[in-house]
Amino acid sequence: MARTRVRKGWHRYLNGVTISTTAVAIFVLLPIYWLIVTSFKTPGAVGDNPPQYFPNPLSLTNYQVAFSQYTFGRYIVNSAIIAVIATFLVLGIGTVAGYALGRLPMRGKYPILLVLLMISVFPEVAVVAPLYLLLRDIGWLNSYQALIFPYTAFNLPFAIWILRNYMLGIPKEMEETARIDGASPLKTVWSVILPQALPGLFTAGIFTFTACWTEFLMALTFNSSNNYRTIPVGIALFGSQFTVPYGTIFAASVVSVVPIAILVLVFRKSVVSGLTSGAVKG
Amino acid sequence: MAALGVVPSTPAADRASSSPPAGKHDVNRKRLARLGWSFSTPAFVVIGAFTIFPIGFSVAMSLSHVSVSGSGFSLNGFTGHNYSILVHAAQWRYALGFTVVYTIVTVLVEVILGTCIALVLERLTKGRGLMMALLLVPWSMITVISAELWGYIYDASYGVLDQIFKALGLGQPIFLGTPTPSIVAMMVADIWKTTPFVAIIVLAGLVMLPEELYEAAEMDGASGWTTFWRVTFPLLRPTIALAVLFRVLQAFGLFDLPFVLTQGGPGYSTTSLAVLGYQVMFQDLNFGPGAAVATSTAVLVLIGCLLFLRVFKAQVGEEGS
Amino acid sequence: MQKLQSSDNSGTRATRRGGHGRLVASTAALSALGLLAAAAGAAAANRPARSSSHASVTTITWEASPISTSGPDLRKVLIADFERAYPNIKVQLISAPTNTDTNESQLETQISGGSSSPDVFMGDVIWPAVFGAHGLAVPLSTKLPKSFFARFAPGLVAGATYQGKVYAAPFFEDQGFLYYRKDLLSKMHLPVPKTWEELKAESLQLQRAKLVKYGFVWEGADYEGATCDFMEYLTDAGGKVLSSNGKSSTLNTPAAVKALTFMRSLVTSGVTPAAITTYQEPQAMNTFDNGQAAFLRNWDYAYSASQSAGSKVIGDVGVAPLPTFQGQSYPGYSNIGGWNLYINPHTKNMSQDLTFINYMTGVDAEHVMATQFSEIPTNEAVRVQKSVIAVNPVLATVPHTRLVARPSQTPEYPKVSQAIYQNVNEALAGSESPAKAIANASAGINTALSGGGL
């Protein structure tokens, strides 16, 4: 009953807001419409002026070119392997570290957290050249590990912050109960803390996955061989010096967005609930 | 403090730290501290191996004369010369001002728009999940691709936006030809991509708010706007603060969008600090000043972060000190 | 109360453990899969793909950005031909990014990092000074005899020289051409323009007759391409950018102001769209292909682009050398573009690299490039072959053009070029007067040459 009363009170306010936010929703979806539609135009029609608002004729040429001429399929596989492994590494290492920095009495944890923050805000641009030298010395250039480990290292600080934040919100008697049951600390983390922190894990996971999926600079510098190229770099190769084949680029883009879109759709509840619970609970 | 002691906690001390006899407590703490260190070590090792050296090297480069040749980098001397070049360079001062203003404007707009969207979405019961998934699509797009898409939309020859403006009788503006339109165009592209993300963060916070508050406000006869301003907003503040923090960190490192959309142009009007760093280092092969740009950016962001955290300490979930 | 709480917790714990278990299983499976893939990848990478232990066959790596847009890949065709001619050398192709700047910075990072790969790389014609000054390319003049460099068209080797040493071998060449709508010109009985003034007048005529939207499109955006276009007008007017010793700017002359004023007048008269300040090659090409322009200044690829599917001007395009200013001798100057082959100083296969370069700039390879892929050969003997001239109107026009290089003989060239194109762009946008723009550009060039600024 209170709900309906609230709705009535909100109602007038809501209408103005609804209209403007519907406009915003259209603003959000229109460019995506344009992206998808352009990918289905014939390459010649992409540059039409005035442009075709709907492809006529519908054509899969751009998709064919992306996958056959540019071996886009391989780039997807590379990106997927790197992003998935890096994400799991970050979650695995980050959860225990976040737990330690959040719930265990460590001296100097605030300076450590600050240092972690500093690392995560350092511009990538400056780090690429020295990192290249390091990887070359280890002999890891043009490989999966050349990207997996730097991505893990650079995404860990942020993930640790999120996970730690989330774990702070877990009631303290959780561990005490487990202790009473005789569980070792590791087991406590595994079976008691982890389930509670699952939404935080999803949040950190999605952040890390997206960061790895979209990273450009390091992927360009470390993995120049076609066998290990990732999606953003692959797209940089489309066309030639004087042509920007928008149709093909967008076809590849549509294909690379679909997996994340599906992931997000499937895990949306966890993503949403994980995003700010820690902050609100304080 | 979490106490994994053997002593059972009393109901009254549910959330407070229990205090067993002094000796046992110390031993416990030491053991837990050691545990903490062993849990964190893998993280420190990985992070240390792949970040400390590059960052340290960058900072070292920013403090010396660097020359690059076929045989590698050579660092000479210890000097603040690179930083003085920065301060005297109009380009750097512009990039700094531009990045700050850009951050403030885009984050402000995104927060306002995002909150509005979240408020509406909260009312949706059926299509909410689908709507959220749709909203996350721009955020999940690779930034480079989003920049290409907007480049295509704004293009003077290929672009659809010009046609739309023409149809609406608004002339045929050139979006990326002069500084001010370019900056605005870039902001629009950025806002498009990240507002949904902010909306979802705020929505998550909204969903957590207890209903009793609204009931109380209703009973007091509060209007919609007052309810929002007096009741909802204060409680949403921590959520919004978190969203702002994430976004500010990202916006300060702005690189992909100007790099692909405008290449920092026209002139250097859309050159952010990160783009400037890239240009100086990789296009001019001037690693000393370039590293100085990067290091100074990091320091500035850090100071901003610390200030921010100090203000919002309680809300962002620090443990009670 | 507490008991209720704990049973609550254990209940939820149980359900969570259930979902928890599934999560664990999938984590383990995916991690295992991932680690397997990484191991496989590592193993594949460690498999010797380069200089093998067999004394007979060596593999060298060649890094080049994509050259042909459609049809067979020019790079792979030439590699196949080379490997047939030299069975002891295998060439592994590495695809470089299409964006020239990204390409350049990637190479610079790799080579200054000491990488021995790629052995040979294809680089822009404006890189020799930058790469030479930083020791990022091998001075070929110390490895190859003078007779090697005699095969190239005049002016090209000079462009690859820095401080007396030649750092690159010209691979294929590019230059600016005037493309025109021959159907429109014949409709109005207009000749192909030989002066800029004539071109402007003819454009206005065509536009007034409502036959075409714009008269002339070219490249005026804030990027390297604007320097290319500007060089053409500048040299036509008699101006020069650098002094003969390359140490100071000689840009600030009435000739330069005349050139830039003319460019701006194209915009103010409506012959060129105001959006020219955002036009790079794709935009100019697109406008011409859509039939919205009567004249186009573009590189050699524009002919085949204008005749390919989706273009609205198929069969209506003619090619000619660029015009010049009234009172100067025809034809006007075309700016040199194109790509060279460089050798990595850390290469371990020097003799194979030299063999490769020798072949790629030799008559056979250059002939293939010209006849099958319409690229302008750098090999002089091939340029004048009848079969090459017959390929398309562009290659037929090549022997009749005059070339001018950009002032790339200094390692500060990127900043020099930036001073030029930024000010040209501002003048075109009307935010600076041409005289002021030239003065600013000249000052900027001097600052760059003295190594100052950020």
Side-chain angles (χ1 to χ4, degrees):
Chain A
M1 202 169 92
R3 205 65 182 162
T4 5
R5 248 193 269 149
V6 171
R7 203 169 282 152
K8 212 170 54 176
W10 280 94
H11 194 62
R12 234 171 294 140
Y13 175 70
L14 206 57
N15 262 337
V17 175
T18 319
I19 294 174
S20 54
T21 28
T22 316
V24 172
I26 296 179
F27 168 65
V28 166
L29 294 172
L30 267 184
I32 297 179
Y33 169 79
W34 198 235
L35 177 82
I36 300 176
V37 148
T38 309
S39 72
F40 286 107
K41 292 182 186 168
T42 54
V46 167
D48 272 0
N49 187 339
Q52 294 177 344
Y53 290 101
F54 192 80
N56 182 15
L58 273 169
S59 149
L60 286 175
T61 317
N62 294 320
Y63 289 89
Q64 281 168 350
V65 170
F67 279 89
S68 57
Q69 193 177 335
Y70 294 111
T71 66
F72 192 65
R74 175 163 320 149
Y75 304 151
I76 296 183
V77 169
N78 292 339
S79 274
I81 292 179
I82 292 171
V84 166
I85 299 182
T87 305
F88 277 106
L89 279 176
V90 165
L91 289 180
I93 301 178
T95 311
V96 284
Y99 173 74
L101 289 167
R103 302 177 74 89
L104 294 178
M106 286 167 62
R107 248 197 241 137
K109 66 162 95 171
Y110 291 114
I112 291 179
L113 285 168
L114 277 183
V115 169
L116 287 181
L117 189 68
M118 269 171 58
I119 291 176
S120 64
V121 307
F122 204 85
E124 210 183 314
V125 161
V127 180
V128 168
L131 204 48
Y132 176 83
L133 295 175
L134 178 67
L135 289 173
R136 184 184 56 102
D137 285 339
I138 318 179
W140 272 9
L141 287 178
N142 281 319
S143 64
Y144 289 124
Q145 55 266 35
L147 291 180
I148 291 176
F149 284 101
Y151 287 175
T152 307
F154 279 96
N155 284 301
L156 261 176
F158 194 59
I160 291 178
W161 265 86
I162 295 183
L163 289 163
R164 170 185 175 268
N165 240 26
Y166 209 88
M167 293 198 189
L168 285 175
I170 299 175
K172 291 173 183 48
E173 62 266 16
M174 288 271 128
E175 286 141 321
E176 291 156 17
T177 334
R179 190 71 194 153
I180 293 168
D181 289 347
S184 72
L186 206 57
K187 188 149 186 303
T188 313
V189 175
W190 185 247
S191 37
V192 175
I193 304 294
L194 210 59
Q196 295 261 335
L198 227 53
L201 270 156
F202 276 117
T203 312
I206 295 232
F207 267 100
T208 310
F209 186 85
T210 310
C212 298
W213 190 255
T214 66
E215 202 279 333
F216 178 68
L217 208 52
M218 289 191 202
L220 175 72
T221 318
F222 306 154
N223 280 5
S224 52
S225 141
N226 199 48
N227 290 334
Y228 293 100
R229 208 160 258 146
T230 57
I231 292 178
V233 180
I235 290 185
L237 289 184
F238 286 7
S240 63
Q241 189 182 6
F242 301 124
T243 32
V244 185
Y246 284 111
T248 320
I249 291 177
F250 294 154
S253 312
V254 167
V255 171
S256 56
V257 162
V258 163
I260 299 200
I262 294 181
L263 262 178
V264 156
L265 194 62
V266 165
F267 287 111
R268 64 181 178 273
K269 287 211 184 81
S270 320
V271 171
V272 171
S273 72
L275 275 172
T276 49
S277 293
V280 174
K281 281 188 195 161
Chain B
M1 289 293 184
L4 290 175
V6 181
V7 179
S9 53
T10 59
D14 254 357
R15 286 186 175 271
S17 36
S18 29
S19 27
K24 263 195 180 157
H25 186 65
D26 284 339
V27 165
N28 248 349
R29 284 185 69 87
K30 284 219 182 82
R31 191 168 54 82
L32 291 172
R34 267 203 307 275
L35 189 67
W37 283 101
S38 59
F39 272 179
S40 332
T41 309
F44 296 159
V45 165
V46 173
I47 294 177
F50 291 95
T51 61
I52 302 297
F53 166 68
I55 292 181
F57 197 83
S58 267
V59 176
M61 279 202 291
S62 75
L63 291 167
S64 59
H65 289 289
V66 185
S67 54
V68 178
S69 71
S71 26
F73 292 75
S74 59
L75 275 61
N76 301 309
F78 182 80
T79 162
H81 181 62
N82 295 324
Y83 288 96
S84 96
I85 294 182
L86 238 54
V87 173
H88 287 107
Q91 267 179 303
W92 181 77
R93 293 195 302 265
Y94 178 85
L96 180 62
F98 170 70
T99 312
V100 169
V101 169
Y102 183 89
T103 305
I104 293 177
V105 172
T106 48
V107 175
L108 207 62
V109 173
E110 283 162 13
V111 165
I112 295 175
L113 272 183
T115 311
C116 292
I117 297 179
L119 284 170
V120 164
L121 279 190
E122 203 234 340
R123 295 291 152 206
L124 279 178
T125 37
K126 280 195 193 152
R128 196 198 288 173
L130 186 65
M131 198 51 187
M132 279 180 350
L134 276 173
L135 284 183
L136 280 180
V137 171
W139 172 68
S140 61
M141 266 176 87
I142 298 176
T143 337
V144 170
I145 293 177
S146 158
E148 296 265 20
L149 174 63
W150 281 97
Y152 180 66
I153 292 175
Y154 286 133
D155 196 280
S157 178
Y158 297 96
V160 67
L161 204 54
D162 256 347
Q163 301 299 317
I164 295 179
F165 268 65
K166 205 159 84 169
L168 290 175
L170 294 167
Q172 247 186 309
I174 305 169
F175 295 103
L176 300 174
T178 33
T180 316
S182 300
I183 296 176
V184 173
M186 206 165 80
M187 286 185 179
V188 168
D190 204 329
I191 290 170
W192 173 79
K193 192 166 189 301
T194 12
T195 303
F197 169 69
V198 174
I200 296 211
I201 291 192
V202 174
L203 178 64
L206 259 179
V207 163
M208 301 263 168
L209 298 182
E211 288 200 18
E212 302 86 58
L213 288 168
Y214 293 122
E215 292 176 35
E218 269 308 296
M219 282 196 265
D220 285 348
S223 74
W225 177 250
T226 325
T227 315
F228 173 74
W229 198 244
R230 289 274 168 78
V231 178
T232 323
F233 184 68
L235 289 168
L236 264 188
R237 245 212 301 256
T239 315
I240 296 185
L242 197 71
V244 167
L245 182 64
F246 286 173
R247 277 299 299 137
V248 165
L249 284 179
Q250 274 181 321
F252 230 78
L254 182 68
F255 181 79
D256 290 12
L257 189 57
F259 189 73
V260 174
L261 189 66
T262 58
Q263 294 92 49
Y268 51 80
S269 56
T270 55
T271 303
S272 65
L273 285 168
V275 173
L276 182 65
Y278 178 85
Q279 284 174 348
V280 173
M281 272 199 287
F282 291 101
Q283 287 175 7
D284 301 339
L285 283 185
N286 213 356
F287 282 87
V293 172
T295 312
S296 56
T297 309
V299 168
L300 286 168
V301 174
L302 191 65
I303 294 177
C305 263
L306 290 176
L307 285 172
F308 187 86
L309 284 176
R310 186 139 302 187
V311 171
F312 288 95
K313 201 177 197 168
Q315 283 110 343
V316 189
E318 293 251 77
E319 256 199 277
S321 42
Chain C
M1 194 71 134
Q2 201 171 345
K3 270 210 177 122
L4 271 168
Q5 275 185 346
S6 15
S7 57
D8 249 7
N9 283 336
S10 62
T12 39
R13 216 186 301 152
T15 25
R16 283 211 178 100
R17 210 181 278 139
H20 188 40
R22 253 177 273 134
L23 178 65
V24 171
S26 48
T27 312
L30 276 165
S31 301
L33 206 65
L35 285 168
L36 261 173
N46 290 334
R47 219 178 292 136
R50 305 190 51 240
S51 311
S52 63
S53 45
H54 296 272
S56 44
V57 178
T58 336
T59 309
I60 60 172
T61 44
W62 178 38
E63 177 158 343
S65 52
I67 306 171
S68 37
T69 22
S70 54
D73 190 333
L74 166 60
R75 303 167 295 171
K76 295 199 179 122
V77 168
L78 289 180
I79 287 178
D81 288 345
F82 174 76
E83 288 179 347
R84 255 196 304 272
Y86 293 89
N88 293 342
I89 310 179
K90 289 259 166 286
V91 180
Q92 191 189 4
L93 175 68
I94 301 177
S95 236
T98 48
N99 179 298
T100 318
D101 290 330
T102 320
N103 189 357
E104 184 177 2
S105 43
Q106 187 194 357
L107 281 165
E108 284 165 354
T109 314
Q110 284 181 317
I111 299 177
S112 61
S115 170
S116 54
S117 157
D119 294 284
V120 180
F121 58 95
M122 187 176 88
D124 204 329
V125 288
I126 49 173
W127 294 0
V130 177
F131 276 67
H134 293 277
L136 300 172
V138 170
L140 296 178
S141 44
T142 58
K143 305 275 180 208
L144 292 166
K146 259 207 162 90
S147 54
F148 171 79
F149 296 101
R151 68 178 67 176
F152 298 110
L156 297 177
V157 174
T161 311
Y162 173 64
Q163 289 192 338
K165 302 205 194 89
V166 184
Y167 283 93
F171 185 32
F172 62 93
E173 194 249 310
D174 212 340
Q175 42 179 286
F177 292 96
L178 180 72
Y179 295 88
Y180 58 92
R181 290 280 303 280
K182 48 187 192 192
D183 58 322
L184 296 179
L185 289 187
S186 66
K187 202 179 263 185
M188 298 280 289
H189 307 292
L190 294 168
V192 177
K194 293 214 155 51
T195 68
W196 289 117
E197 291 83 354
E198 209 180 328
L199 181 142
K200 187 172 166 190
E202 291 187 15
S203 302
L204 284 168
Q205 251 188 300
L206 290 167
Q207 282 174 287
R208 275 191 213 116
K210 300 248 192 286
L211 285 174
V212 79
K213 190 170 178 194
Y214 299 117
F216 181 37
V217 289
W218 32 285
E219 296 81 34
D222 186 32
Y223 80 127
E224 178 73 17
T227 304
C228 300
D229 284 41
F230 178 68
M231 287 306 295
E232 287 162 358
Y233 296 98
L234 176 71
T235 323
D236 286 344
K240 244 175 87 123
V241 179
L242 295 178
S243 59
S244 39
N245 63 0
K247 295 270 193 291
S248 63
S249 159
T250 53
L251 183 62
N252 202 353
T253 56
V257 180
K258 172 181 175 180
L260 191 52
T261 310
F262 176 76
M263 290 165 80
R264 170 70 183 154
S265 73
L266 288 172
V267 178
T268 47
S269 60
V271 167
T272 294
I276 199 75
T277 52
T278 61
Y279 271 32
Q280 299 191 9
E281 286 83 357
Q283 284 76 16
M285 194 72 238
N286 194 46
T287 309
F288 190 72
D289 277 350
N290 277 329
Q292 292 170 324
F295 296 102
L296 165 73
R297 179 269 172 213
N298 208 337
W299 307 98
D300 67 345
Y301 82 103
Y303 184 73
S304 9
S306 66
Q307 304 303 302
S308 55
S311 162
K312 299 190 172 58
V313 297
I314 297 179
D316 294 329
V317 178
V319 188
L322 287 167
T324 182
F325 286 108
Q326 217 151 25
Q328 309 290 339
S329 60
Y330 181 78
Y333 285 88
S334 294
N335 181 243
I336 301 175
W339 293 80
N340 300 339
L341 291 172
Y342 302 73
I343 297 183
N344 182 342
H346 304 294
T347 181
K348 299 192 170 66
N349 308 301
M350 184 62 80
S351 57
Q352 286 88 353
D353 299 338
L354 293 169
T355 313
F356 182 67
I357 290 189
N358 186 36
Y359 180 83
M360 294 299 246
T361 58
V363 173
D364 295 326
E366 296 271 328
H367 187 85
V368 167
M369 275 203 292
T371 50
Q372 290 181 24
F373 295 93
S374 311
E375 297 293 342
I376 303 178
T378 50
N379 191 310
E380 182 65 25
V382 178
R383 274 156 90 99
V384 298
Q385 279 176 353
K386 286 224 171 60
S387 49
V388 167
I389 292 182
V391 170
N392 62 29
V394 170
L395 287 167
T397 314
V398 164
H400 305 289
T401 58
R402 249 197 282 189
L403 301 176
V404 66
R406 280 164 274 167
S408 57
Q409 301 314 306
T410 157
E412 303 297 341
Y413 176 69
K415 287 206 225 154
V416 169
S417 181
Q418 193 177 37
I420 296 177
Y421 65 68
Q422 271 183 8
N423 285 292
V424 166
N425 182 264
E426 287 191 36
L428 291 172
S431 9
E432 260 185 346
S433 74
K436 192 103 205 307
I438 295 289
N440 284 344
S442 195
I445 293 174
N446 279 324
T447 314
L449 290 173
S450 62
L454 190 57

